[in-house]
Amino acid sequence: MKFLLSLLLLACALLSPDLLLNVASAQQPRIKDYNNNGWYMYFGDHKLSDRWGVHTEVQLRRHNIIADPQQLLIRTGVNYNLTPGAMLTLGYGFIETHPYGDYPAAGTFPEQRIYQQLQLQGSLARLGLSHRYRLEQRWVRQPEASAYTYLNRARYMLKATLPFSGNTLEPGELFLAAYDEVFVGFGKNVRKNIFDQNRAYVALGYKISSGAAVELGYLKQIVQKADGVVFEHNQTLQVSLFHNLNFARSN
């Protein structure tokens, strides 16, 4: 029943992400800012032993698909495997954001971030399911500001993968992938964007080997800015490489 409810929420978000905004901001005026972006990403979870590992991640995010800078994100972390289907991560991220869109920031600004994460893996028949729960402590220095502002944010992502053939996803096979992730801000500096953003995604993937896969997909990202008035509607091309190395085999 838990998996069925999760799938229903994912399907609703993919079909109409705006439904997630109606309750929170139905009485507020909205300005919609439409953008076309491209995100080019690498993710790796590398095992050092049966329990311990490291996370590595680089994302190059571009405005106008590839022409202009949007964000650079570098993230790393320490993984601890509680069970074969549950992993904890403690990590750090650096993000540099550039002005883009019709309502841009006043200039380029940095963010330093610490995060804690629990990721659960499961399945429902042929469907692979991943639940990711993440807490973030963020230090953001706005353009022309002399000090960082501290922010808190919680995130939840449900991702589903479906192999084209067979009951499990094997090397050399194509698959479909979809996810929805919701972001919620909290704390004294949250301002008006308690609802921070939602990301709904669908993609075609190819499993290269037991530790590597690629995905080519479309992301609909809705971002509420801190003033609670401007909502970005970002149509985004996503190109992702997942490459997990297992150094524990040589220990």
Side-chain angles (χ1 to χ4, degrees), residues 54-129:
V54 294
H55 176 78
T56 55
E57 180 180 341
V58 178
Q59 299 190 29
L60 182 63
R61 299 175 175 177
R62 305 289 293 181
H63 181 51
N64 292 322
I65 305 301
I66 199 168
D68 304 308
Q70 183 195 20
Q71 276 186 328
L72 170 67
L73 185 150
I74 301 171
R75 188 156 37 213
T76 188
V78 177
N79 296 331
Y80 181 76
N81 293 284
L82 292 169
T83 69
M87 183 170 69
L88 292 171
T89 303
L90 172 64
Y92 165 81
F94 172 80
I95 300 91
E96 183 179 70
T97 301
H98 298 262
Y100 68 94
D102 293 334
Y103 300 88
T108 301
F109 61 92
E111 176 182 342
Q112 316 247 12
R113 184 184 301 173
I114 296 172
Y115 69 97
Q116 305 82 42
Q117 177 177 292
L118 171 63
Q119 187 164 310
L120 303 175
Q121 303 284 352
S123 63
L124 181 64
R126 296 174 56 208
L127 197 66
L129 295 173

Side-chain angles (χ1 to χ4, degrees), residues 200-218:
Y201 167 83
V202 63
L204 176 66
Y206 178 74
K207 191 168 181 65
I208 302 169
S209 67
S210 59
V214 292
E215 292 181 9
L216 176 64
Y218 164 78

Side-chain angles (χ1 to χ4, degrees), residues 21-246:
L21 307 179
N22 289 338
V23 174
S25 56
Q27 304 304 317
Q28 298 179 2
R30 290 191 195 177
I31 298 174
K32 294 185 178 182
D33 180 15
Y34 294 95
N35 299 288
N36 296 311
N37 301 323
W39 291 4
Y40 309 95
M41 306 179 292
Y42 158 80
F43 304 91
D45 286 303
H46 313 300
K47 293 191 69 172
L48 302 178
S49 68
D50 288 342
R51 293 285 188 180
W52 294 96
V54 294
H55 176 78
T56 55
E57 180 180 341
V58 178
Q59 299 190 29
L60 182 63
R61 299 175 175 177
R62 305 289 293 181
H63 181 51
N64 292 322
I65 305 301
I66 199 168
D68 304 308
Q70 183 195 20
Q71 276 186 328
L72 170 67
L73 185 150
I74 301 171
R75 188 156 37 213
T76 188
V78 177
N79 296 331
Y80 181 76
N81 293 284
L82 292 169
T83 69
M87 183 170 69
L88 292 171
T89 303
L90 172 64
Y92 165 81
F94 172 80
I95 300 91
E96 183 179 70
T97 301
H98 298 262
Y100 68 94
D102 293 334
Y103 300 88
T108 301
F109 61 92
E111 176 182 342
Q112 316 247 12
R113 184 184 301 173
I114 296 172
Y115 69 97
Q116 305 82 42
Q117 177 177 292
L118 171 63
Q119 187 164 310
L120 303 175
Q121 303 284 352
S123 63
L124 181 64
R126 296 174 56 208
L127 197 66
L129 295 173
S130 173
H131 300 266
R132 190 177 74 187
Y133 307 86
R134 181 182 290 175
L135 285 175
E136 296 176 330
Q137 298 80 51
R138 308 167 63 206
W139 289 264
V140 181
R141 192 176 70 195
Q142 297 294 341
E144 302 177 357
S146 59
Y148 283 85
T149 299
Y150 176 73
L151 299 165
N152 291 290
R153 191 165 65 184
R155 300 166 56 169
Y156 168 69
M157 183 179 79
L158 170 63
K159 183 174 183 179
T161 57
L162 180 67
F164 271 33
S165 62
N167 294 324
T168 59
L169 183 57
E170 302 296 335
E173 291 185 354
L174 293 169
F175 62 92
L176 293 175
Y179 72 68
D180 189 78
E181 184 172 19
V182 62
F183 297 58
V184 177
F186 62 97
K188 66 178 183 179
N189 294 322
V190 70
R191 295 180 65 184
K192 294 184 180 180
N193 59 332
I194 295 174
F195 167 82
D196 184 86
Q197 62 179 280
N198 189 78
R199 299 176 182 176
Y201 167 83
V202 63
L204 176 66
Y206 178 74
K207 191 168 181 65
I208 302 169
S209 67
S210 59
V214 292
E215 292 181 9
L216 176 64
Y218 164 78
L219 174 75
K220 175 65 179 291
Q221 181 193 32
I222 299 176
V223 181
Q224 179 179 201
K225 294 205 168 182
D227 59 11
V229 174
V230 176
F231 285 76
E232 292 182 9
H233 289 250
N234 298 325
Q235 317 285 339
T236 304
L237 169 70
Q238 276 198 190
V239 181
S240 306
L241 169 65
F242 303 86
H243 190 204
N244 304 323
L245 299 173
N246 189 353

